[in-house]
């Protein structure tokens, strides 16, 4: 049985991502209120695997999670791209004509704006988690309250699904990273399938320093799929660059790292893994 630390509760999108990434495996979920708690559990038990969202195609990057990952010493061993589908759910006894408010996480509410505009009579109330909204309504027998969450959460908590697919943009995906203690990393990935890596580095204040690094990656045929800069706290106008790369030849990737290292400061490979496929 694998121990998986997630942000949220059973029925959350982190839960769905974990079970899809580890299909047909028995999982022990460690439910956390914050992303910091995920890494705390990993420090307490080196066998705990972390599943954390890092990017959404609509809301953008979860910048704080980049910092948590870099500071943790954990390594990335996989990724999962989950299609986010929202549903409006309520108690079995309720229906459209009895509802007075809708509860969910602020991001989920923002992603369902067109649906909410069609129901101006519903008071919008922000909550900490999508699945938690459904659980609270069910456990409290809160008549007149609806939740926006996954259909999976509705089934889990015995809620009635009033409408599925209420998200405004149907191309709504969240990318999750699977992180673990470096000592057990190779037990969770197939080295022969590794074709993606996450790198972080800073650069000296020299003209063209970033373009030189990018040119070297290009020379080694390393494809940059994302570059994200974050300010270094306490060092004015200095930045860390988080870069995702894809490659066909692992040796050439390692050679590119050796080539760019003298041009960078604090370069660190955060993980090497197989590129995740999008699930519909």
């Amino acid at each position: 049985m694998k121990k998986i630390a997630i942000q949220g509760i059973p029925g959350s999108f982190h839960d769905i991502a974990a079970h899809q990434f580890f299909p047909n495996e028995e999982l022990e979920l460690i439910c956390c209120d914050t992303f910091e708690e995920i890494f705390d559990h990993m420090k307490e038990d080196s066998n705990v695997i972390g599943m954390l969202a890092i990017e959404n195609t609509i809301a953008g990057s979860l910048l704080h999670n980049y910092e948590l990952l870099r500071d943790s010493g954990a390594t990335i061993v996989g990724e999962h791209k989950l299609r986010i589908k929202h549903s409006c759910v309520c108690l079995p006894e309720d229906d459209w004509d009895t509802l007075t408010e809708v509860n969910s996480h602020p991001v989920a509410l923002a992603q369902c704006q067109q649906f909410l505009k069609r129901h101006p009579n519903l008071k919008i109330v922000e909550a900490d988690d999508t699945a938690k909204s459904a659980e609270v309504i069910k456990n409290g027998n809160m008549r007149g309250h609806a939740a926006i969450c996954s259909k999976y959460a509705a089934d889990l908590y015995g809620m009635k699904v009033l409408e599925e697919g209420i998200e405004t943009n149907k191309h709504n995906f969240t990318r999750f990273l699977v992180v673990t203690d470096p000592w057990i990393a190779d037990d969770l990935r197939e080295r022969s399938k590794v074709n993606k890596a996450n790198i972080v580095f800073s650069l000296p204040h020299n003209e063209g320093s970033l373009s030189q690094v990018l040119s070297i990656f290009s020379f080694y045929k390393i494809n940059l799929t994302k570059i994200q800069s974050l300010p270094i706290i306490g060092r004015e106008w200095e930045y860390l660059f988080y870069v995702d790369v894809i490659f066909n030849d692992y040796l050439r990737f390692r050679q590119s790292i050796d080539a760019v290292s003298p041009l960078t400061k604090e370069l660190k490979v955060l993980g090497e893994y197989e590129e995740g496929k999008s699930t519909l």
Side-chain angles (χ1 to χ4, degrees):
M1 179 185 294
K2 288 184 170 62
K3 299 179 182 179
I4 312 293
I6 64 169
Q7 189 274 321
I9 66 171
S12 66
F13 290 108
H14 277 80
D15 173 14
I16 297 171
H19 279 90
Q20 288 186 357
F21 188 82
F22 296 104
N24 305 317
E25 292 197 47
E26 189 174 356
L27 305 182
E28 177 187 337
L29 291 183
I30 302 172
C31 298
C32 305
D33 292 329
T34 66
F35 290 109
E36 284 86 351
E37 287 183 38
I38 292 177
F39 292 102
D40 289 342
H41 282 287
M42 293 174 63
K43 288 178 182 177
E44 294 169 5
D45 183 350
S46 60
N47 290 312
V48 171
I49 302 164
M51 173 74 70
L52 71 155
I54 197 68
E55 179 183 11
N56 178 265
T57 53
I58 297 173
S61 299
L62 282 75
L63 300 181
H64 185 50
N65 286 356
Y66 281 100
E67 297 175 337
L68 292 174
L69 178 59
R70 178 176 177 271
D71 294 340
S72 69
T75 188
I76 306 166
V77 294
E79 69 174 1
H80 187 70
K81 300 170 184 174
L82 178 67
R83 165 81 157 82
I84 303 300
K85 301 177 183 178
H86 294 300
S87 295
C88 180
V89 310
C90 64
L91 291 171
E93 300 82 10
D94 272 322
D95 214 322
W96 290 113
D97 57 352
T98 61
L99 296 180
T100 58
E101 70 175 62
V102 59
N103 305 176
S104 195
H105 189 276
V107 172
L109 293 169
Q111 292 174 349
C112 301
Q113 279 299 308
Q114 288 187 7
F115 165 81
L116 294 172
K117 286 179 180 179
R118 296 200 309 270
H119 299 278
N121 58 307
L122 295 180
K123 179 183 177 182
I124 300 171
V125 179
E126 294 185 354
D128 293 332
D129 184 72
T130 54
K132 186 71 174 179
S133 299
E135 182 194 43
V136 168
I137 291 171
K138 179 64 175 180
N139 291 345
N141 194 33
M142 298 168 64
R143 294 291 303 272
H145 290 242
I148 291 177
C149 60
S150 67
K151 184 179 181 299
Y152 172 58
D155 295 339
L156 198 61
Y157 297 110
M159 301 286 278
K160 179 168 70 176
V161 177
L162 290 173
E163 187 175 343
E164 295 183 51
I166 64 172
E167 64 281 357
T168 301
N169 192 316
K170 306 307 178 185
H171 299 279
N172 183 4
F173 288 83
T174 294
R175 184 163 69 101
F176 296 83
L177 296 179
V178 184
V179 298
T180 186
D181 187 294
W183 287 101
I184 64 171
D186 282 339
D187 295 334
L188 297 169
R189 63 186 171 195
E190 293 185 50
R191 271 290 176 186
S192 62
K193 293 184 177 180
V194 168
N195 64 346
K196 188 172 183 179
N198 288 35
I199 307 160
V200 59
F201 57 83
S202 60
L203 292 169
H205 277 299
N206 297 332
E207 183 177 342
S209 58
L210 180 57
S211 63
Q212 287 179 327
V213 170
L214 299 182
S215 295
I216 290 174
F217 282 133
S218 177
F219 173 79
Y220 282 95
K221 301 187 183 304
I222 307 300
N223 181 28
L224 274 68
T225 59
K226 183 177 181 181
I227 182 166
Q228 177 81 53
S229 64
L230 289 178
I232 302 175
I233 305 301
R235 288 157 57 179
E236 294 81 1
W237 319 123
E238 292 189 39
Y239 299 88
L240 286 169
F241 295 91
Y242 291 83
V243 178
D244 295 0
V245 299
I246 295 178
F247 45 86
N248 295 319
D249 187 321
Y250 181 76
L251 177 59
R252 287 184 71 84
F253 161 69
R254 294 308 313 186
Q255 289 172 335
S256 73
I257 295 298
D258 292 339
V260 301
S261 291
L263 303 176
T264 65
K265 297 189 294 184
E266 307 173 56
L267 185 145
K268 183 179 182 181
V269 178
L270 297 174
E272 302 170 354
Y273 52 96
E274 181 184 6
E275 181 185 12
K277 304 295 187 294
S278 297
T279 57
L280 299 176

